[in-house]
């Protein structure tokens, strides 16, 4: 009896192991580790624009950086979609989103992130969430004075990605 009580206490006091590797941010990049994948511009989900007019309209890399950051800032505060971003790696998202936009707009970047299907797997994203994100992107582009027609050309590149982002 005493033995079994001692055993019970020992079991209860044993520290539970922590297997969550998302606890550890890379000391240099500040990002959480992700499952290995093959890096390729193909992961950006679409071909890039040709020529420099789109990159110029978006204010080059500096403007694109501001737009990607604003999109994240607005979206993580947006009551319609903010819960989807909770607990995810916003350091990594800011970097990869910038790279993806910069690559697509042909502003001189390569995209090193995951493909859209892998990046949004099991998030339960619905069409209404996609529409909310697009609205937030429109706000961010408007703030950077991207001409309306250029905004729409960019959105037309992103729209087909819904098939990989939105879950049915
Ligand atoms: C065309 C639309 C979209 C594009 C171009 C896009 C782009 C991206 C990119 C580049 C990443 C990072 C990939 C990586 O970590 O390797 C990402 C991750 C993420 N996206 Fe999207 N996204 C889109 C739609 C959405 C929508 C509608 C939501 C939710 C409302 C969303 C929420 C997220 C979240 C929470 C992550 C972080 C995933 C993680 O840390 O594991 N995305 N997205």
């Amino acid at each position: 009896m005493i033995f079994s009580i001692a055993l019970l206490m020992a079991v209860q006091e044993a520290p539970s192991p922590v297997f969550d590797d998302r606890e550890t941010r890379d000391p240099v990049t500040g990002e959480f580790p992700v499952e290995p994948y093959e890096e390729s511009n193909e992961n950006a989900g679409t071909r890039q624009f040709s020529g420099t007019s789109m990159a110029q309209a978006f204010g080059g890399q500096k403007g694109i950086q501001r737009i990607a950051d604003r999109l994240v800032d607005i979206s993580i505060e947006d009551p319609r979609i903010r819960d989807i971003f909770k607990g995810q790696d916003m350091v990594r998202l800011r970097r990869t989103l910038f790279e993806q936009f910069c690559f697509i707009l042909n502003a001189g970047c390569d995209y090193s992130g995951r493909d859209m299907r892998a990046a949004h797997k099991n998030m339960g994203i619905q069409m209404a969430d996609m529409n909310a994100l697009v609205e937030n992107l429109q706000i961010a582009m408007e703030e950077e004075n991207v001409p309306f027609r250029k905004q729409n050309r960019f959105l037309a590149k992103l729209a087909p990605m819904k098939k990989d982002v939105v879950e049915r």
Side-chain angles (χ1 to χ4, degrees), residues 89-109:
D89 187 349
M90 293 302 104
V91 177
R92 179 182 169 89
L93 181 60
R94 286 177 195 277
R95 175 178 65 80
T96 50
L97 200 60
F98 161 72
E99 283 179 8
Q100 185 192 32
F101 286 6
C102 178
F103 167 75
I104 294 171
L105 293 163
N106 198 8
C109 305

Side-chain angles (χ1 to χ4, degrees), residues 88-89 92-93 96-97 100 111 113-114 120 123 125 130:
Q88 306 286 358
D89 187 349
R92 179 182 169 89
L93 181 60
T96 50
L97 200 60
Q100 185 192 32
Y111 175 64
R114 293 166 289 187
H120 301 92
M123 285 190 189
I125 295 172
M130 178 84 183

Side-chain angles (χ1 to χ4, degrees), residues 106-130:
N106 198 8
C109 305
D110 286 311
Y111 175 64
S112 70
R114 293 166 289 187
D115 67 69
M116 290 302 97
R117 188 174 291 272
H120 301 92
K121 202 167 161 215
N122 297 332
M123 285 190 189
I125 295 172
Q126 299 296 300
M127 202 54 218
D129 306 320
M130 178 84 183

Side-chain angles (χ1 to χ4, degrees), residues 8-28:
L8 194 69
M9 285 169 69
V11 169
Q12 279 177 345
E13 278 168 24
S16 57
V18 176
F19 294 114
D20 189 356
D21 62 357
R22 291 181 65 97
E23 302 274 298
T24 329
R25 287 187 183 271
D26 184 296
V28 178

